[in-house]
Amino acid sequence: MLIACGDALIDFVPTRNTEGREALMPAVGGSCLNVAIGMARLGAPTGFVGGISTDLFGRLIADHAAASSVQLGLATRSDRQTTLAFVRIAAGESSYAFYDEGTATRNWAYRRGSLPFAEVEAVHVGSTTLVDDQGAAETKALIADARASSTICFDPNCRPNLVKDKPAYLARMAQFAEGADLVKMSDVDFAYLFGAEPYEQRASALLGQGTSLVVVTRGSDGAIAWHAEAGLIEVAAPTVAIADTIGAGDSFQAALLFALHKQGRLARQQLKDIGADELRVALTFAANCAGLTCTRPGADPPWNHEVGWIW
């Protein structure tokens, strides 16, 4: 099983009504839930760990996840309200206004002994759950238990408008990155976390500390990856008609983890031993899945029948 641990919420995505006026459309989102949905739609057995409300929006989230075959038995349901995010798109980039105080996601707590890590091939973590001290601490506790048998995958998916103490946040993200087997981030996240530091320098540092794979996605410029054995791999982004980029990074991560799983290269030692050709196939598949996600509004990762041709 593959697991994504973190946020589940409702995005209010910009659209137009029948009169052509600006409107907002609710869509199930949350970076970590998007990753879970993306992996499950591609055909991997997938579970989601995190807080989901029992309110109206929480039921929408649960129904959406179940329709994509995401297992929710490991999630924590509560009557706390659902996190809401209002999306604005400018110059091709999405920005968010979050309403997250006292929510089911914010108040999720890891229940030690509740997850069958011996059956879990990989655990993905990241995004808004790691912004506050409580969410970060609970996730660290989960990782500590998972590490013995599961590959740890990390995507910071930064949300600067939620960060109150940037130095503390940067230190926290560095710790999560240093403790992960696979680190993926966008170029925008990289700039927020590491400024003008060259990609290669940070990737080399992470590889030297035990990370197996570091990936930076660069929108229409494709993705670049560093691996201790396979070396430097660069893949192009497909040319597509973009509706929006919401969920594209999550779709990339989901497809990358699925592809590695499909290749038998996601377990920790197998990831360390992956060859350049296999890694290029996995990264190309991820880029194509992200590109397809960009052709439709909201976080709507592809199903296996839509991208099966890559194999």
Side-chain angles (χ1 to χ4, degrees), residues 92-114:
E93 288 292 333
S94 303
S95 58
Y96 297 80
F98 288 92
Y99 293 81
D100 193 30
E101 291 296 327
T103 62
T105 290
R106 176 70 71 88
N107 288 274
W108 166 77
Y110 168 53
R111 296 171 291 169
R112 190 159 197 177
S114 63

Side-chain angles (χ1 to χ4, degrees), residues 95-180:
S95 58
Y96 297 80
F98 288 92
Y99 293 81
D100 193 30
E101 291 296 327
T103 62
T105 290
R106 176 70 71 88
N107 288 274
W108 166 77
Y110 168 53
R111 296 171 291 169
R112 190 159 197 177
S114 63
L115 303 181
F117 289 118
E119 303 170 14
V120 175
E121 188 174 17
V123 176
H124 164 83
V125 300
S127 197
T128 62
T129 306
L130 307 183
V131 171
D132 69 285
D133 292 341
Q134 177 183 339
E138 298 294 338
T139 305
K140 286 180 181 178
L142 182 150
I143 289 173
D145 286 352
R147 189 179 306 281
S149 56
S150 305
T151 300
I152 307 301
C153 309
F154 172 60
D155 177 2
N157 199 8
C158 306
R159 295 291 180 252
N161 57 327
L162 290 178
V163 176
K164 302 295 191 297
D165 183 344
K166 186 174 180 179
Y169 176 77
L170 297 185
R172 180 183 298 152
M173 293 303 99
Q175 289 175 352
F176 276 104
E178 291 164 5

Side-chain angles (χ1 to χ4, degrees), residues 1-9 28-30 32-38 40 44-55 57-78 105 108 111 114-116:
M1 177 188 287
L2 310 184
I3 283 180
C5 171
D7 51 341
L9 51 81
V28 174
C32 295
L33 181 67
N34 292 340
V35 171
I37 287 172
T46 304
F48 174 77
V49 176
I52 300 177
S53 178
T54 55
D55 66 9
F57 291 126
R59 293 194 295 275
L60 287 176
I61 290 170
D63 290 347
H64 181 72
S68 295
S69 299
V70 175
Q71 300 175 37
L72 295 180
L74 304 176
T76 302
R77 303 300 298 271
S78 75
T105 290
W108 166 77
R111 296 171 291 169
S114 63
L115 303 181

Side-chain angles (χ1 to χ4, degrees), residues 143-230:
I143 289 173
D145 286 352
R147 189 179 306 281
S149 56
S150 305
T151 300
I152 307 301
C153 309
F154 172 60
D155 177 2
N157 199 8
C158 306
R159 295 291 180 252
N161 57 327
L162 290 178
V163 176
K164 302 295 191 297
D165 183 344
K166 186 174 180 179
Y169 176 77
L170 297 185
R172 180 183 298 152
M173 293 303 99
Q175 289 175 352
F176 276 104
E178 291 164 5
D181 300 292
L182 186 157
V183 176
K184 171 263 170 188
M185 67 185 80
S186 70
D187 52 356
V188 174
D189 288 342
F190 189 98
Y192 182 73
L193 294 174
F194 306 116
E197 179 180 351
Y199 296 151
E200 295 84 355
Q201 182 174 311
R202 177 59 55 167
S204 178
L206 289 170
L207 294 177
Q209 292 165 341
T211 299
S212 291
L213 179 62
V214 179
V215 183
V216 176
T217 57
R218 303 170 297 167
S220 60
D221 291 327
I224 187 165
W226 295 262
H227 186 274
E229 297 299 325

